[in-house]
Structure formats: structure tokens, C-alpha cells
PDB file of all heavy atoms in Angstrom:
ATOM      1  N   GLY A 672       4.045   4.210  -8.715  1.00 98.00           N
ATOM      2  CA  GLY A 672       5.129   3.922  -9.618  1.00 98.00           C
ATOM      3  C   GLY A 672       4.541   3.335 -10.897  1.00 98.00           C
ATOM      4  O   GLY A 672       3.346   2.996 -10.977  1.00 98.00           O
ATOM      5  N   LYS A 673       5.381   3.253 -11.882  1.00 98.00           N
ATOM      6  CA  LYS A 673       4.923   2.777 -13.190  1.00 98.00           C
ATOM      7  C   LYS A 673       6.041   2.050 -14.002  1.00 98.00           C
ATOM      8  O   LYS A 673       7.189   2.468 -13.963  1.00 98.00           O
ATOM      9  CB  LYS A 673       4.389   3.976 -14.040  1.00 98.00           C
ATOM     10  CG  LYS A 673       3.975   3.639 -15.448  1.00 98.00           C
ATOM     11  CD  LYS A 673       3.352   4.865 -16.082  1.00 98.00           C
ATOM     12  CE  LYS A 673       4.418   5.952 -16.445  1.00 98.00           C
ATOM     13  NZ  LYS A 673       3.848   7.051 -17.228  1.00 98.00           N
ATOM     14  N   LEU A 674       5.641   0.975 -14.662  1.00 98.00           N
ATOM     15  CA  LEU A 674       6.535   0.349 -15.676  1.00 98.00           C
ATOM     16  C   LEU A 674       5.949   0.783 -17.021  1.00 98.00           C
ATOM     17  O   LEU A 674       4.857   0.431 -17.399  1.00 98.00           O
ATOM     18  CB  LEU A 674       6.422  -1.182 -15.593  1.00 98.00           C
ATOM     19  CG  LEU A 674       7.267  -1.854 -14.495  1.00 98.00           C
ATOM     20  CD1 LEU A 674       7.039  -3.369 -14.529  1.00 98.00           C
ATOM     21  CD2 LEU A 674       8.759  -1.585 -14.695  1.00 98.00           C
ATOM     22  N   PRO A 675       6.687   1.645 -17.730  1.00 98.00           N
ATOM     23  CA  PRO A 675       6.124   2.137 -18.984  1.00 98.00           C
ATOM     24  C   PRO A 675       6.001   1.028 -20.084  1.00 98.00           C
ATOM     25  O   PRO A 675       6.843   0.110 -20.146  1.00 98.00           O
ATOM     26  CB  PRO A 675       7.192   3.178 -19.503  1.00 98.00           C
ATOM     27  CG  PRO A 675       7.944   3.515 -18.292  1.00 98.00           C
ATOM     28  CD  PRO A 675       7.973   2.244 -17.472  1.00 98.00           C
ATOM     29  N   GLY A 676       4.874   1.054 -20.778  1.00 98.00           N
ATOM     30  CA  GLY A 676       4.617   0.109 -21.858  1.00 98.00           C
ATOM     31  C   GLY A 676       5.067   0.617 -23.179  1.00 98.00           C
ATOM     32  O   GLY A 676       5.398   1.813 -23.304  1.00 98.00           O
ATOM     33  N   ARG A 677       4.969  -0.283 -24.184  1.00 97.00           N
ATOM     34  CA  ARG A 677       5.414   0.083 -25.530  1.00 97.00           C
ATOM     35  C   ARG A 677       4.364   1.016 -26.174  1.00 97.00           C
ATOM     36  O   ARG A 677       4.631   1.878 -26.999  1.00 97.00           O
ATOM     37  CB  ARG A 677       5.578  -1.086 -26.379  1.00 97.00           C
ATOM     38  CG  ARG A 677       6.864  -1.815 -26.256  1.00 97.00           C
ATOM     39  CD  ARG A 677       7.095  -2.877 -27.342  1.00 97.00           C
ATOM     40  NE  ARG A 677       6.067  -3.940 -27.190  1.00 97.00           N
ATOM     41  CZ  ARG A 677       6.306  -5.137 -26.638  1.00 97.00           C
ATOM     42  NH1 ARG A 677       7.556  -5.364 -26.118  1.00 97.00           N
ATOM     43  NH2 ARG A 677       5.434  -6.052 -26.566  1.00 97.00           N
ATOM     44  N   ASP A 678       3.020   0.795 -25.782  1.00 97.00           N
ATOM     45  CA  ASP A 678       1.995   1.537 -26.450  1.00 97.00           C
ATOM     46  C   ASP A 678       0.955   1.940 -25.391  1.00 97.00           C
ATOM     47  O   ASP A 678      -0.103   1.263 -25.235  1.00 97.00           O
ATOM     48  CB  ASP A 678       1.381   0.653 -27.549  1.00 97.00           C
ATOM     49  CG  ASP A 678       0.312   1.383 -28.382  1.00 97.00           C
ATOM     50  OD1 ASP A 678       0.118   2.582 -28.125  1.00 97.00           O
ATOM     51  OD2 ASP A 678      -0.325   0.723 -29.223  1.00 97.00           O
ATOM     52  N   PRO A 679       1.181   3.025 -24.729  1.00 95.00           N
ATOM     53  CA  PRO A 679       0.243   3.488 -23.631  1.00 95.00           C
ATOM     54  C   PRO A 679      -1.172   3.774 -24.175  1.00 95.00           C
ATOM     55  O   PRO A 679      -2.107   3.806 -23.388  1.00 95.00           O
ATOM     56  CB  PRO A 679       0.890   4.761 -23.068  1.00 95.00           C
ATOM     57  CG  PRO A 679       2.358   4.605 -23.424  1.00 95.00           C
ATOM     58  CD  PRO A 679       2.379   3.889 -24.761  1.00 95.00           C
ATOM     59  N   SER A 680      -1.299   3.952 -25.476  1.00 96.00           N
ATOM     60  CA  SER A 680      -2.628   4.223 -26.004  1.00 96.00           C
ATOM     61  C   SER A 680      -3.571   3.008 -25.835  1.00 96.00           C
ATOM     62  O   SER A 680      -4.789   3.120 -25.970  1.00 96.00           O
ATOM     63  CB  SER A 680      -2.552   4.582 -27.502  1.00 96.00           C
ATOM     64  OG  SER A 680      -2.108   3.409 -28.288  1.00 96.00           O
ATOM     65  N   GLN A 681      -2.956   1.791 -25.558  1.00 97.00           N
ATOM     66  CA  GLN A 681      -3.730   0.588 -25.339  1.00 97.00           C
ATOM     67  C   GLN A 681      -4.355   0.555 -23.880  1.00 97.00           C
ATOM     68  O   GLN A 681      -4.990  -0.432 -23.615  1.00 97.00           O
ATOM     69  CB  GLN A 681      -2.848  -0.643 -25.552  1.00 97.00           C
ATOM     70  CG  GLN A 681      -2.353  -0.808 -26.966  1.00 97.00           C
ATOM     71  CD  GLN A 681      -3.457  -1.176 -27.965  1.00 97.00           C
ATOM     72  OE1 GLN A 681      -4.492  -1.728 -27.561  1.00 97.00           O
ATOM     73  NE2 GLN A 681      -3.282  -0.843 -29.205  1.00 97.00           N
ATOM     74  N   GLY A 682      -4.070   1.525 -23.099  1.00 97.00           N
ATOM     75  CA  GLY A 682      -4.587   1.552 -21.762  1.00 97.00           C
ATOM     76  C   GLY A 682      -3.542   1.121 -20.736  1.00 97.00           C
ATOM     77  O   GLY A 682      -2.332   1.113 -21.064  1.00 97.00           O
ATOM     78  N   ALA A 683      -3.997   0.791 -19.551  1.00 98.00           N
ATOM     79  CA  ALA A 683      -3.019   0.493 -18.437  1.00 98.00           C
ATOM     80  C   ALA A 683      -3.646  -0.532 -17.503  1.00 98.00           C
ATOM     81  O   ALA A 683      -4.839  -0.758 -17.488  1.00 98.00           O
ATOM     82  CB  ALA A 683      -2.682   1.731 -17.643  1.00 98.00           C
ATOM     83  N   VAL A 684      -2.754  -1.201 -16.727  1.00 98.00           N
ATOM     84  CA  VAL A 684      -3.155  -2.135 -15.696  1.00 98.00           C
ATOM     85  C   VAL A 684      -2.711  -1.575 -14.394  1.00 98.00           C
ATOM     86  O   VAL A 684      -1.631  -0.945 -14.295  1.00 98.00           O
ATOM     87  CB  VAL A 684      -2.525  -3.537 -15.978  1.00 98.00           C
ATOM     88  CG1 VAL A 684      -2.850  -4.488 -14.816  1.00 98.00           C
ATOM     89  CG2 VAL A 684      -2.934  -4.041 -17.335  1.00 98.00           C
ATOM     90  N   LEU A 685      -3.430  -1.745 -13.332  1.00 98.00           N
ATOM     91  CA  LEU A 685      -3.126  -1.211 -12.033  1.00 98.00           C
ATOM     92  C   LEU A 685      -2.998  -2.333 -10.992  1.00 98.00           C
ATOM     93  O   LEU A 685      -3.944  -3.189 -10.884  1.00 98.00           O
ATOM     94  CB  LEU A 685      -4.162  -0.207 -11.582  1.00 98.00           C
ATOM     95  CG  LEU A 685      -4.124   0.307 -10.142  1.00 98.00           C
ATOM     96  CD1 LEU A 685      -2.824   1.174  -9.963  1.00 98.00           C
ATOM     97  CD2 LEU A 685      -5.339   1.109  -9.787  1.00 98.00           C
ATOM     98  N   PHE A 686      -1.935  -2.375 -10.234  1.00 99.00           N
ATOM     99  CA  PHE A 686      -1.756  -3.179  -9.031  1.00 99.00           C
ATOM    100  C   PHE A 686      -1.724  -2.270  -7.868  1.00 99.00           C
ATOM    101  O   PHE A 686      -1.018  -1.270  -7.889  1.00 99.00           O
ATOM    102  CB  PHE A 686      -0.533  -4.068  -9.108  1.00 99.00           C
ATOM    103  CG  PHE A 686      -0.557  -5.172 -10.134  1.00 99.00           C
ATOM    104  CD1 PHE A 686      -0.057  -4.967 -11.419  1.00 99.00           C
ATOM    105  CD2 PHE A 686      -1.052  -6.401  -9.809  1.00 99.00           C
ATOM    106  CE1 PHE A 686      -0.095  -5.981 -12.358  1.00 99.00           C
ATOM    107  CE2 PHE A 686      -1.104  -7.399 -10.744  1.00 99.00           C
ATOM    108  CZ  PHE A 686      -0.644  -7.181 -12.055  1.00 99.00           C
ATOM    109  N   LEU A 687      -2.383  -2.640  -6.750  1.00 98.00           N
ATOM    110  CA  LEU A 687      -2.361  -1.744  -5.558  1.00 98.00           C
ATOM    111  C   LEU A 687      -2.456  -2.600  -4.314  1.00 98.00           C
ATOM    112  O   LEU A 687      -2.960  -3.721  -4.326  1.00 98.00           O
ATOM    113  CB  LEU A 687      -3.528  -0.760  -5.617  1.00 98.00           C
ATOM    114  CG  LEU A 687      -5.011  -1.274  -5.516  1.00 98.00           C
ATOM    115  CD1 LEU A 687      -5.843  -0.188  -4.966  1.00 98.00           C
ATOM    116  CD2 LEU A 687      -5.507  -1.750  -6.860  1.00 98.00           C
ATOM    117  N   ALA A 688      -1.897  -2.023  -3.229  1.00 98.00           N
ATOM    118  CA  ALA A 688      -1.933  -2.578  -1.922  1.00 98.00           C
ATOM    119  C   ALA A 688      -1.826  -1.452  -0.907  1.00 98.00           C
ATOM    120  O   ALA A 688      -1.067  -0.522  -1.203  1.00 98.00           O
ATOM    121  CB  ALA A 688      -0.852  -3.618  -1.721  1.00 98.00           C
ATOM    122  N   HIS A 689      -2.543  -1.528   0.187  1.00 98.00           N
ATOM    123  CA  HIS A 689      -2.426  -0.383   1.141  1.00 98.00           C
ATOM    124  C   HIS A 689      -1.289  -0.612   2.066  1.00 98.00           C
ATOM    125  O   HIS A 689      -0.951  -1.709   2.523  1.00 98.00           O
ATOM    126  CB  HIS A 689      -3.714  -0.216   1.943  1.00 98.00           C
ATOM    127  CG  HIS A 689      -3.982  -1.277   2.993  1.00 98.00           C
ATOM    128  ND1 HIS A 689      -3.570  -1.125   4.307  1.00 98.00           N
ATOM    129  CD2 HIS A 689      -4.678  -2.468   2.971  1.00 98.00           C
ATOM    130  CE1 HIS A 689      -3.957  -2.161   5.039  1.00 98.00           C
ATOM    131  NE2 HIS A 689      -4.610  -2.981   4.242  1.00 98.00           N
ATOM    132  N   TRP A 690      -0.528   0.490   2.335  1.00 98.00           N
ATOM    133  CA  TRP A 690       0.676   0.406   3.167  1.00 98.00           C
ATOM    134  C   TRP A 690       0.321   0.785   4.674  1.00 98.00           C
ATOM    135  O   TRP A 690       1.094   0.487   5.549  1.00 98.00           O
ATOM    136  CB  TRP A 690       1.751   1.379   2.669  1.00 98.00           C
ATOM    137  CG  TRP A 690       1.346   2.855   2.662  1.00 98.00           C
ATOM    138  CD1 TRP A 690       0.961   3.559   1.593  1.00 98.00           C
ATOM    139  CD2 TRP A 690       1.328   3.727   3.786  1.00 98.00           C
ATOM    140  NE1 TRP A 690       0.681   4.878   1.969  1.00 98.00           N
ATOM    141  CE2 TRP A 690       0.938   4.997   3.315  1.00 98.00           C
ATOM    142  CE3 TRP A 690       1.607   3.619   5.136  1.00 98.00           C
ATOM    143  CZ2 TRP A 690       0.789   6.140   4.143  1.00 98.00           C
ATOM    144  CZ3 TRP A 690       1.465   4.711   5.992  1.00 98.00           C
ATOM    145  CH2 TRP A 690       1.082   5.936   5.464  1.00 98.00           C
ATOM    146  N   ASP A 691      -0.837   1.410   4.921  1.00 98.00           N
ATOM    147  CA  ASP A 691      -1.115   1.996   6.222  1.00 98.00           C
ATOM    148  C   ASP A 691      -1.597   0.925   7.199  1.00 98.00           C
ATOM    149  O   ASP A 691      -2.108  -0.103   6.854  1.00 98.00           O
ATOM    150  CB  ASP A 691      -2.126   3.086   6.102  1.00 98.00           C
ATOM    151  CG  ASP A 691      -3.497   2.540   5.683  1.00 98.00           C
ATOM    152  OD1 ASP A 691      -3.570   1.907   4.611  1.00 98.00           O
ATOM    153  OD2 ASP A 691      -4.510   2.809   6.413  1.00 98.00           O
ATOM    154  N   HIS A 692      -1.401   1.268   8.469  1.00 96.00           N
ATOM    155  CA  HIS A 692      -1.939   0.426   9.603  1.00 96.00           C
ATOM    156  C   HIS A 692      -2.314   1.396  10.743  1.00 96.00           C
ATOM    157  O   HIS A 692      -2.517   2.618  10.500  1.00 96.00           O
ATOM    158  CB  HIS A 692      -1.019  -0.674  10.012  1.00 96.00           C
ATOM    159  CG  HIS A 692      -1.765  -1.839  10.588  1.00 96.00           C
ATOM    160  ND1 HIS A 692      -2.744  -2.539   9.951  1.00 96.00           N
ATOM    161  CD2 HIS A 692      -1.619  -2.435  11.825  1.00 96.00           C
ATOM    162  CE1 HIS A 692      -3.193  -3.506  10.731  1.00 96.00           C
ATOM    163  NE2 HIS A 692      -2.545  -3.465  11.893  1.00 96.00           N
ATOM    164  N   PHE A 693      -2.384   0.918  11.948  1.00 93.00           N
ATOM    165  CA  PHE A 693      -2.929   1.739  13.035  1.00 93.00           C
ATOM    166  C   PHE A 693      -1.978   2.340  14.001  1.00 93.00           C
ATOM    167  O   PHE A 693      -2.358   2.986  14.987  1.00 93.00           O
ATOM    168  CB  PHE A 693      -3.951   0.860  13.832  1.00 93.00           C
ATOM    169  CG  PHE A 693      -5.165   0.433  13.071  1.00 93.00           C
ATOM    170  CD1 PHE A 693      -5.389  -0.845  12.680  1.00 93.00           C
ATOM    171  CD2 PHE A 693      -6.079   1.382  12.740  1.00 93.00           C
ATOM    172  CE1 PHE A 693      -6.529  -1.230  11.996  1.00 93.00           C
ATOM    173  CE2 PHE A 693      -7.270   1.056  12.039  1.00 93.00           C
ATOM    174  CZ  PHE A 693      -7.424  -0.280  11.656  1.00 93.00           C
ATOM    175  N   GLY A 694      -0.661   2.163  13.769  1.00 95.00           N
ATOM    176  CA  GLY A 694       0.281   2.704  14.718  1.00 95.00           C
ATOM    177  C   GLY A 694       0.273   2.058  16.040  1.00 95.00           C
ATOM    178  O   GLY A 694       0.158   0.796  16.139  1.00 95.00           O
ATOM    179  N   GLU A 695       0.251   2.808  17.121  1.00 91.00           N
ATOM    180  CA  GLU A 695       0.198   2.255  18.492  1.00 91.00           C
ATOM    181  C   GLU A 695      -1.283   2.150  18.852  1.00 91.00           C
ATOM    182  O   GLU A 695      -1.942   3.137  19.101  1.00 91.00           O
ATOM    183  CB  GLU A 695       0.970   3.148  19.471  1.00 91.00           C
ATOM    184  CG  GLU A 695       2.468   3.196  19.161  1.00 91.00           C
ATOM    185  CD  GLU A 695       3.204   4.070  20.151  1.00 91.00           C
ATOM    186  OE1 GLU A 695       2.605   4.596  21.113  1.00 91.00           O
ATOM    187  OE2 GLU A 695       4.450   4.214  19.960  1.00 91.00           O
ATOM    188  N   CYS A 696      -1.780   0.909  18.888  1.00 84.00           N
ATOM    189  CA  CYS A 696      -3.266   0.721  18.979  1.00 84.00           C
ATOM    190  C   CYS A 696      -3.675   0.086  20.308  1.00 84.00           C
ATOM    191  O   CYS A 696      -4.892   0.136  20.680  1.00 84.00           O
ATOM    192  CB  CYS A 696      -3.711  -0.165  17.852  1.00 84.00           C
ATOM    193  SG  CYS A 696      -3.005  -1.843  17.856  1.00 84.00           S
ATOM    194  N   ALA A 697      -2.771  -0.473  21.070  1.00 81.00           N
ATOM    195  CA  ALA A 697      -3.170  -1.089  22.340  1.00 81.00           C
ATOM    196  C   ALA A 697      -3.237  -0.026  23.421  1.00 81.00           C
ATOM    197  O   ALA A 697      -2.708   1.061  23.331  1.00 81.00           O
ATOM    198  CB  ALA A 697      -2.177  -2.184  22.731  1.00 81.00           C
ATOM    199  N   ALA A 698      -3.892  -0.389  24.527  1.00 77.00           N
ATOM    200  CA  ALA A 698      -4.101   0.567  25.642  1.00 77.00           C
ATOM    201  C   ALA A 698      -2.793   0.867  26.298  1.00 77.00           C
ATOM    202  O   ALA A 698      -1.804   0.090  26.287  1.00 77.00           O
ATOM    203  CB  ALA A 698      -5.077  -0.037  26.686  1.00 77.00           C
ATOM    204  N   ALA A 699      -2.704   2.093  26.911  1.00 78.00           N
ATOM    205  CA  ALA A 699      -1.464   2.446  27.594  1.00 78.00           C
ATOM    206  C   ALA A 699      -1.181   1.491  28.699  1.00 78.00           C
ATOM    207  O   ALA A 699      -2.057   1.025  29.379  1.00 78.00           O
ATOM    208  CB  ALA A 699      -1.687   3.854  28.213  1.00 78.00           C
ATOM    209  N   GLY A 700       0.078   1.060  28.785  1.00 82.00           N
ATOM    210  CA  GLY A 700       0.518   0.126  29.799  1.00 82.00           C
ATOM    211  C   GLY A 700       0.517  -1.282  29.303  1.00 82.00           C
ATOM    212  O   GLY A 700       1.046  -2.206  30.009  1.00 82.00           O
ATOM    213  N   ALA A 701      -0.002  -1.524  28.099  1.00 86.00           N
ATOM    214  CA  ALA A 701       0.009  -2.905  27.543  1.00 86.00           C
ATOM    215  C   ALA A 701       1.507  -3.280  27.215  1.00 86.00           C
ATOM    216  O   ALA A 701       2.289  -2.426  26.827  1.00 86.00           O
ATOM    217  CB  ALA A 701      -0.862  -2.966  26.315  1.00 86.00           C
ATOM    218  N   PRO A 702       1.861  -4.554  27.367  1.00 87.00           N
ATOM    219  CA  PRO A 702       3.236  -4.957  27.106  1.00 87.00           C
ATOM    220  C   PRO A 702       3.664  -4.710  25.687  1.00 87.00           C
ATOM    221  O   PRO A 702       4.844  -4.488  25.385  1.00 87.00           O
ATOM    222  CB  PRO A 702       3.268  -6.463  27.444  1.00 87.00           C
ATOM    223  CG  PRO A 702       1.825  -6.870  27.436  1.00 87.00           C
ATOM    224  CD  PRO A 702       1.052  -5.658  27.840  1.00 87.00           C
ATOM    225  N   ASP A 703       2.712  -4.783  24.743  1.00 91.00           N
ATOM    226  CA  ASP A 703       2.981  -4.549  23.304  1.00 91.00           C
ATOM    227  C   ASP A 703       1.914  -3.631  22.777  1.00 91.00           C
ATOM    228  O   ASP A 703       0.764  -4.028  22.644  1.00 91.00           O
ATOM    229  CB  ASP A 703       3.043  -5.847  22.553  1.00 91.00           C
ATOM    230  CG  ASP A 703       3.405  -5.665  21.081  1.00 91.00           C
ATOM    231  OD1 ASP A 703       3.716  -4.453  20.668  1.00 91.00           O
ATOM    232  OD2 ASP A 703       3.489  -6.671  20.353  1.00 91.00           O
ATOM    233  N   ARG A 704       2.269  -2.390  22.524  1.00 92.00           N
ATOM    234  CA  ARG A 704       1.243  -1.399  22.034  1.00 92.00           C
ATOM    235  C   ARG A 704       1.184  -1.230  20.511  1.00 92.00           C
ATOM    236  O   ARG A 704       0.230  -0.682  20.078  1.00 92.00           O
ATOM    237  CB  ARG A 704       1.543  -0.027  22.669  1.00 92.00           C
ATOM    238  CG  ARG A 704       1.463  -0.018  24.221  1.00 92.00           C
ATOM    239  CD  ARG A 704       1.338   1.451  24.651  1.00 92.00           C
ATOM    240  NE  ARG A 704       0.136   2.057  24.143  1.00 92.00           N
ATOM    241  CZ  ARG A 704       0.037   3.372  23.989  1.00 92.00           C
ATOM    242  NH1 ARG A 704       1.004   4.192  24.386  1.00 92.00           N
ATOM    243  NH2 ARG A 704      -1.053   3.922  23.477  1.00 92.00           N
ATOM    244  N   ILE A 705       2.134  -1.744  19.792  1.00 96.00           N
ATOM    245  CA  ILE A 705       2.251  -1.427  18.400  1.00 96.00           C
ATOM    246  C   ILE A 705       1.440  -2.481  17.586  1.00 96.00           C
ATOM    247  O   ILE A 705       1.671  -3.675  17.726  1.00 96.00           O
ATOM    248  CB  ILE A 705       3.713  -1.393  17.906  1.00 96.00           C
ATOM    249  CG1 ILE A 705       4.471  -0.278  18.677  1.00 96.00           C
ATOM    250  CG2 ILE A 705       3.778  -1.170  16.427  1.00 96.00           C
ATOM    251  CD1 ILE A 705       5.979  -0.272  18.349  1.00 96.00           C
TER     252      ILE A 705
END
């Protein structure tokens, strides 16, 4: 996504964070697998 600036010719700033994780990661039969 983007917040447009007044003067894009001045360049840009980026903020980022990863959304992903491992899903169901524990062994089958574990009380909590997620």
C-alpha cells in the first residue's frame, strides 16, 4: 500500500513487516498444532 506524497520526485520511504508464519507446525496428535 502507499500514502501518496506531495512530491514523489523526492523519493520514497518504505515500512515493511512480514505477515507469514508456519501454519500447523507441531507434530500430529499434539494438543496444540498451530
Side-chain angles (χ1 to χ4, degrees):
K673 178 175 68 175
L674 281 176
R677 279 190 296 260
D678 186 4
S680 68
Q681 296 289 337
V684 177
L685 172 66
F686 289 92
L687 67 156
H689 74 90
W690 62 259
D691 67 303
H692 206 57
F693 293 110
E695 296 181 3
C696 63
D703 184 2
R704 296 197 60 202
I705 299 175

